[in-house]
Amino acid sequence: MVVGRGELTDKAWAVIEPLLPPVQGGGRRWRDHRQVINAILWKLRTGAPWRDLPDRYGPWKTAHERLRLWTKDGTWEKILDRVIVKDDAVGELEWITSVDSSVVRAHQHAAGARKKGDAATEPKPSPATGKDSAGPAAD
């Protein structure tokens, strides 16, 4: 089977498949677990909105709901624990960390703050009276 970039290989699927809950019966047939996991991986890898999920992964609502259910019942944690422990033990795990630490700083004056001794803080003469607007002047 040819897999796309970032999708589960047959080897990875063989490890993960036994950890997944059985396909529920009763109503409509559940979408293939492998397709759904590939959809979740695509979403996590790209950071795109769920609604932008490519058609090859099926409906975005299915992938979103399955991730929500598997997170709630502990399935997703079991998958991650199994994969991380196994691959890290044999040296096949590549740790990639991506942290968005964007910092936007503005100068204090950009927020309207005034420094002590700033000309803007000293009383200004009133245009009408010529006196300081801060109150009576000391002679």
Side-chain angles (χ1 to χ4, degrees):
M1 175 182 197
V2 177
V3 296
R5 187 175 69 100
E7 294 185 351
L8 291 173
T9 62
D10 291 339
K11 184 178 175 183
W13 178 243
V15 172
I16 292 171
E17 186 178 23
L19 304 172
L20 298 170
V23 174
Q24 293 181 352
R28 292 181 299 185
R29 182 170 133 21
W30 266 35
R31 186 163 296 276
D32 179 57
H33 283 327
R34 186 172 182 170
Q35 182 183 33
V36 172
I37 290 178
N38 282 329
I40 293 168
L41 293 174
W42 181 89
K43 162 66 171 115
L44 296 175
R45 185 177 68 250
T46 64
W50 280 108
R51 291 179 188 266
D52 292 346
L53 191 70
D55 291 337
R56 70 180 177 269
Y57 297 121
W60 70 267
K61 288 182 181 183
T62 300
H64 177 266
E65 183 65 12
R66 199 83 55 92
L67 175 60
R68 194 185 68 72
L69 288 172
W70 288 347
T71 300
K72 186 177 178 181
D73 71 8
T75 300
W76 197 244
E77 189 173 345
K78 282 192 307 188
I79 292 169
L80 295 177
D81 287 346
R82 174 74 167 105
V83 172
I84 289 171
V85 169
K86 181 182 181 300
D87 286 348
D88 201 23
V90 295
E92 293 180 9
L93 184 65
E94 180 180 347
W95 290 94
I96 299 174
T97 305
S98 176
V99 178
D100 182 1
S101 60
S102 300
V103 176
V104 178
R105 294 185 182 197
H107 191 273
Q108 63 188 11
H109 292 121
R114 294 188 175 140
K115 295 192 300 188
K116 289 183 181 177
D118 189 356
T121 63
E122 296 179 13
K124 295 181 181 173
S126 168
T129 64
K131 295 183 181 180
D132 287 343
S133 60
D139 291 314

